[in-house]
Amino acid sequence: MAAGDTLVTFTVQNNFPPGWIYLTFTGGSVEPTADGDGSAVIWGDTSDATSVLEYLVLNSGTWGGGDAAGYMLCSDWNGTDYQAENFTADSGTPADHGTLGGVQVSADATPDKRNADPVLDFDASTNQVGFYPFVMPRHYGGGDIDLNLGVKSSTATTGDMSFATFFRSISDNTAADTHQKNFAAPQANQAIDAATTLGATRYFQIQHTAGAQVDNIAAGESGFLLVMRDAQDSTNDDMAGDAELAFIEMREKP
Amino acid sequence: MAVLPDADRAAVTARSMSDTSASREQWGTTLLKSDRRGLVDAIDQWIEDSLSSFNAALPEPARTELTTKQKYKEFVNVLDRKREVL
């Protein structure tokens, strides 16, 4: 095996829906940050709904200015519906760190079939994720990683999509719970042209350099790959309808 | 009645795109997300602008005795059938 060979391949059958939720917020005045246990729990001040913050995007405003607005992807939702309410990070005592846009929306991409082909559908309006557990093969040499993705469009032959990928590695005896370790910062490919023929597969690549961008994963280690359609990026993602992920190839850069 | 709030128009657009994705029904060849939202906005505005004439066209006693919600429901019933027989 050598650099340039395929490390791992993923299809929809490898996706393990993480049960994440999507929350919008405005009027943010205190930025949620991981506390001593490595996680930031988002509490609904009225509903007592809780979930663990995995990824936050600031679309406008500033925390210092009290007008931060954006969205959060959260895991470990306790099943209680959020409301259009204030939220507090990392405390069950309401402290109005910002205002949620309303009830949570599922952030899981949806397994589907296109004719007989299995695909994972990513919504056009809500950021959704696919979640792929894997073990890094022993022949991985620690180099840069290229992800090659194949995506179809449900209904569109025009417009652009934007996708991001995240790595999280779990080394031996370093975290009692995977929630205590965040995903590494995502890498993205923005403004990917939709395939011009309905049903065709658009191939594109997302590159991760070795080290921090792949969360310092090593050969033989457990890892998680997260794939997200950035449907909220109105500049780079304007394609109407679902994007259908057909496959992902992970290979070490030749 | 006022036009739908922005969040409601966004929700209608999202649901429409989700529904058409599920059926893989192509809506035009060049429509982007912004165009689908523009379509919803325009329909909502037209409905708002037409409410008075719609109500005036209804015969009695329906015009007086039915609630607004009931009139809307009947409008949707008729429009749905017209869509089915197209």
Side-chain angles (χ1 to χ4, degrees):
Chain A
M1 309 291 280
D5 290 336
T6 298
L7 293 168
V8 190
T9 58
F10 305 100
T11 62
V12 67
Q13 291 98 324
N14 305 116
N15 173 60
F16 189 81
W20 287 16
I21 59 171
Y22 171 88
L23 293 166
T24 61
F25 68 90
T26 56
S29 59
V30 177
E31 183 175 9
T33 53
D35 63 11
D37 67 0
S39 63
V41 177
I42 306 300
W43 289 79
D45 285 358
T46 303
S47 64
D48 271 346
T50 60
S51 58
V52 176
L53 177 65
E54 292 283 351
Y55 184 57
L56 182 147
V57 168
L58 188 64
N59 285 331
S60 65
T62 63
W63 299 100
D67 61 353
Y71 69 87
M72 298 181 278
L73 292 175
C74 300
S75 62
D76 268 353
W77 171 49
N78 71 346
T80 299
D81 284 339
Y82 287 94
Q83 305 168 15
E85 60 181 322
N86 295 332
F87 73 87
T88 300
D90 264 347
S91 174
T93 302
D96 186 8
H97 290 170
T99 303
L100 298 175
V103 71
Q104 72 288 337
V105 179
S106 171
D108 288 347
T110 309
D112 194 5
K113 279 191 302 182
R114 191 187 188 96
N115 299 320
D117 298 338
V119 293
L120 193 64
D121 290 351
F122 289 76
D123 195 73
S125 306
T126 302
N127 280 28
Q128 292 185 328
V129 298
F131 187 79
Y132 296 94
F134 68 97
V135 176
M136 184 59 82
R138 293 287 175 177
H139 62 266
Y140 171 55
D144 299 347
I145 287 178
D146 289 341
L147 297 172
N148 298 312
L149 294 85
V151 175
K152 304 171 189 276
S153 308
S154 287
T155 59
T157 53
T158 188
D160 296 329
M161 309 170 276
S162 182
F163 273 85
T165 46
F166 308 62
F167 276 82
R168 180 164 70 192
S169 69
I170 303 297
S171 303
D172 179 37
N173 200 29
T174 55
D177 188 309
T178 52
H179 292 305
Q180 295 181 6
K181 193 170 191 286
N182 292 327
F183 280 89
Q187 304 306 305
N189 192 331
Q190 299 172 320
I192 305 155
D193 292 339
T196 54
T197 303
L198 204 57
T201 301
R202 170 67 70 186
Y203 282 50
F204 63 93
Q205 193 174 81
I206 299 178
Q207 298 175 327
H208 290 253
T209 57
Q213 288 187 6
V214 294
D215 202 26
N216 297 296
I217 194 167
E221 284 189 339
S222 167
F224 300 90
L225 178 67
L226 193 76
V227 181
M228 180 183 76
R229 177 183 179 185
D230 198 354
Q232 290 294 304
D233 181 358
S234 57
T235 301
N236 296 299
D237 191 307
D238 59 8
M239 184 187 81
D242 289 357
E244 302 175 350
L245 178 64
F247 73 88
I248 307 168
E249 178 203 16
M250 182 191 304
R251 64 192 291 243
E252 188 164 8
K253 197 176 184 65
Chain B
M1 186 177 177
V3 294
L4 293 173
D6 182 75
D8 286 357
R9 286 182 169 186
V12 169
T13 307
R15 188 171 65 201
S16 174
M17 285 195 291
S18 184
D19 288 348
T20 51
S21 292
S23 62
R24 295 203 176 82
E25 179 185 2
Q26 193 172 15
W27 277 34
T29 56
T30 64
L31 269 68
L32 303 174
K33 278 196 268 192
S34 56
D35 298 313
R36 294 290 293 266
R37 171 60 190 265
L39 179 65
V40 168
D41 291 356
I43 292 172
D44 183 31
Q45 187 64 59
W46 177 85
I47 291 172
E48 187 64 24
D49 295 343
S50 305
L51 282 176
S52 292
S53 60
F54 165 64
N55 194 57
L58 300 179
E60 293 291 10
R63 190 196 313 162
T64 304
E65 295 185 14
L66 295 184
T67 65
T68 302
K69 270 196 176 181
Q70 289 169 326
K71 294 172 187 176
Y72 285 5
K73 185 163 177 54
E74 201 69 308
F75 179 90
V76 169
N77 286 338
V78 172
L79 189 60
D80 253 349
R81 183 54 186 164
K82 292 172 81 70
R83 179 176 60 87
E84 286 169 5
V85 300
L86 268 179

